[in-house]
Amino acid sequence: QLQLQESGPGLVKPSDTLSLTCTVSGGSITNANYYWAWIRQPPGMGLEWIGNIDYSGTTYYNPSLKSRVTVSIDTSKNHFSLKLRSVTAADTAIYYCATWATSAGSLDSWGQGTLVSVSS
Amino acid sequence: DIQMTQSPSSVSASVGDRVTITCRASQGISSFLAWYQQKPGKAPKLLIYVASNLQSGVPSRFSGSGSGTDFTLTISSLQPEDFATYYCQQAGSFPLTFGGGTKVEI
C-alpha cells in the first residue's frame, strides 16, 4: 500500500511561491500504473484538482491554475513537488498529494494533507 | 471542463436508513466516475471507482451505479461511521473535476 506525506511551509506571504513536496513510501514513484496528483481544498469548501505528473515528467494541469503551477518529480528521491507562484489569500487551502490510477482515473491513496495559509 | 453536479447538497438521515446521492456530468464520461468519503479533518477516501467498483476494504453497504452522465451512490443501511461528506469525481477527461459534495448528517 502506497503511503504519501506532504511537507512544506504552512505560511506563505502574498505574491510569494508556495512550495510543497510529497514523499512516497511503500512503492516506487516510477510505477507506470500511477500518475502523481495534487489536489487542494480551501477551508470548509470542496475539492479542486491542481495537476498530475507521471514518472517520465509528463504533466497535466488545471487550466485555472496552469499559468502559476509547476509540478515536478524526482525519481531518485521518490518524491514529487508542487510550486504555485504569485499566491494570494485565495490560495489558502489544505493541499493533498495523491496517487491517480491511470486505468480507472480515481485517486486511490491520499496523503494526510497540509494546510497552507497565505498571509503577510 | 466537465461540470459535476451533486444532489442533494446535504441530507439528514438516521442509522439504518437507505441514502442515495446523485451526480450528473455536463457531458458523457462513460463510466469514469469515482466516489469519495471525507470525514472532518481527514483526507478523502476512495469508495467506488469506475462508477460501480468497490474499493478494497470498503463495506458492501456502499454501491455505485450509472454511466454516461448520471450516476448514483447508495448506502444501503447507514451506520454511525458513515456520517461524512461525499464527493464524486469525473475522470473522463482533464481537468479532473469534483462535485460540490453531499453532507450526510443526523
Side-chain angles (χ1 to χ4, degrees), chain A residues 15 27 29-30 32-33 45 61 66 70-71 73 82 89 92 97-98 101 119:
Chain A
S15 79
I29 206 167
T30 60
N33 293 319
M45 298 180 66
Y61 295 135
K66 187 174 183 177
T70 301
V71 178
I73 192 166
L82 169 70
T92 293
C97 58
S119 175

Side-chain angles (χ1 to χ4, degrees), chain A residues 13-26:
Chain A
K13 289 183 167 53
S15 79
D16 282 357
T17 297
L18 179 160
S19 296
L20 296 173
T21 295
C22 181
T23 301
V24 178
S25 59

Side-chain angles (χ1 to χ4, degrees), chain A residues 18-87:
Chain A
L18 179 160
S19 296
L20 296 173
T21 295
C22 181
T23 301
V24 178
S25 59
S28 173
I29 206 167
T30 60
N31 187 332
N33 293 319
Y34 292 108
Y35 287 7
W36 309 93
W38 288 100
I39 303 100
R40 71 180 183 177
Q41 184 173 37
M45 298 180 66
L47 299 161
E48 179 181 34
W49 174 73
I50 299 171
N52 282 7
I53 190 167
D54 72 7
Y55 71 94
S56 71
T58 301
T59 53
Y60 304 83
Y61 295 135
N62 192 324
S64 68
L65 297 168
K66 187 174 183 177
S67 64
R68 299 193 292 131
V69 169
T70 301
V71 178
S72 58
I73 192 166
D74 188 332
T75 56
S76 67
K77 295 181 180 178
N78 226 43
H79 74 206
F80 62 108
S81 300
L82 169 70
K83 290 189 185 298
L84 180 64
R85 297 175 291 278
S86 304
V87 298

